[in-house]
């Protein structure tokens, strides 16, 4: 069944996305039009104070997102690399909905 949201992710991706190099299991990089963000979040320290950190996420439209697995790496720029930790999802019913992946920065 068609959804009013079908196609919306494609418009957002074309507007706000950029080509991100994705390596599946350390293989050859493939360019994926997607959205990489580092969102500031507040986290409590051991002594109860809050510190501001950034949480990297990667938004990939379906069906390309169906191929992404934990352990894959991405490179939003030539000198930074991130490992996919897990799939968060988005809750959207659209066929081309973004899937959100939690990341951690790594050094290669």
């Amino acid at each position: 069944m068609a959804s009013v949201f079908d196609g919306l992710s494609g418009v957002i991706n074309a507007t706000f996305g950029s080509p991100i190099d994705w390596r599946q299991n350390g293989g050859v990089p493939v360019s994926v039009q997607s959205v990489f963000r580092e969102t500031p979040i507040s986290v409590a320290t051991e002594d109860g104070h809050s510190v501001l950190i950034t949480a990297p996420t990667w938004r990939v439209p379906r069906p390309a997102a169906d191929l992404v697995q934990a352990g894959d790496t991405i490179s939003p720029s030539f000198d930074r690399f991130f490992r996919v930790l897990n799939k968060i999802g988005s809750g959207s019913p659209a066929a081309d909905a973004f899937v959100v992946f939690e990341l951690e920065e790594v050094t290669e």
Side-chain angles (χ1 to χ4, degrees):
M1 173 182 248
S3 169
V4 296
F5 300 106
D6 286 345
L8 188 56
S9 294
V11 172
I12 293 170
N13 196 22
T15 304
F16 297 108
S18 62
I20 305 288
D21 284 343
W22 163 54
R23 288 179 182 88
Q24 192 173 31
N25 295 322
V28 177
V30 175
S31 182
V32 176
Q33 180 74 15
S34 51
V35 180
F36 170 81
R37 293 287 181 264
E38 290 183 284
T39 306
I41 60 171
S42 181
V43 177
T45 62
E46 290 180 9
D47 60 0
H49 292 89
S50 292
V51 295
L52 195 62
I53 65 168
T54 58
T57 58
W58 185 37
R59 290 168 175 78
V60 183
R62 284 190 188 116
D66 296 335
L67 301 173
V68 178
Q69 300 176 14
D72 291 353
T73 58
I74 69 163
S75 180
S77 63
F78 71 92
D79 61 345
R80 296 183 73 197
F81 298 90
F82 295 83
R83 179 178 301 114
V84 175
L85 296 178
N86 60 46
K87 181 189 302 187
I88 298 172
S90 68
S92 172
D96 67 339
F98 278 114
V99 176
V100 180
F101 294 93
E102 183 182 26
L103 307 170
E104 71 177 347
E105 190 162 13
V106 295
T107 56
E108 289 191 343

